[in-house]
């Protein structure tokens, strides 16, 4: 629910700031967590990885620059390279 609220542009700026700060604290945690593992749960890709990949993709539409979290950038690149993700992105683009 938190990410949905963050991306609701009709909220007042002060509320969006609070949600951004909360999201950034979570990204800080993920930065530390993903520094030494490939996926959220370790070596296996899971449903949580698919969701995080989606949320990270939304960031570009809301001017949230991920460069501050290099492990998240590497994670997103790693997930993007998966054949199933490439196929899904191609299918989505053709709609």
């Amino acid at each position: 629910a938190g990410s949905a609220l963050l991306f609701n542009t009709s909220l007042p700026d002060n509320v969006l700031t609070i949600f951004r700060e909360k999201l950034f604290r979570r990204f800080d945690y993920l930065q530390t967590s993903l520094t030494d593992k490939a996926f959220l749960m370790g070596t296996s890709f899971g449903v949580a990885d698919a969701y995080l990949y989606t949320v990270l993709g939304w960031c570009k539409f809301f001017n949230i620059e991920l460069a501050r979290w290099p492990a998240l950038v590497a994670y997103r690149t790693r997930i993007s390279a998966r054949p199933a993700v490439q196929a899904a992105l191609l299918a989505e683009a053709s709609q």
Side-chain angles (χ1 to χ4, degrees), residues 53-92:
Y53 176 81
T54 301
V55 170
L56 294 175
W58 294 340
C59 289
K60 66 185 169 200
F61 299 113
F62 298 94
N63 298 319
I64 297 172
E65 179 56 52
L66 294 177
R68 168 177 165 179
W69 303 280
L72 292 182
V73 173
Y75 171 84
R76 182 151 168 72
T77 300
R78 194 166 45 254
I79 302 294
S80 292
R82 295 176 61 85
V85 172
Q86 288 296 308
L89 292 173
L90 283 172
E92 187 178 274

Side-chain angles (χ1 to χ4, degrees), residues 5-82:
L5 291 173
L6 171 68
F7 299 117
N8 180 346
T9 56
S10 67
L11 292 173
D13 286 342
N14 62 331
V15 173
L16 288 173
T17 297
I18 291 167
F19 285 123
R20 280 174 95 84
E21 289 172 357
K22 186 175 183 179
L23 178 69
F24 291 0
R25 283 192 304 274
R26 289 179 179 166
F27 283 0
D28 290 341
Y29 171 80
L30 290 168
Q31 168 66 30
T32 302
S33 180
L34 289 169
T35 297
D36 61 352
K37 58 185 174 183
F39 304 107
L40 291 171
M41 299 308 291
T43 59
S44 298
F45 180 84
V47 106
D49 294 296
Y51 184 72
L52 178 56
Y53 176 81
T54 301
V55 170
L56 294 175
W58 294 340
C59 289
K60 66 185 169 200
F61 299 113
F62 298 94
N63 298 319
I64 297 172
E65 179 56 52
L66 294 177
R68 168 177 165 179
W69 303 280
L72 292 182
V73 173
Y75 171 84
R76 182 151 168 72
T77 300
R78 194 166 45 254
I79 302 294
S80 292
R82 295 176 61 85

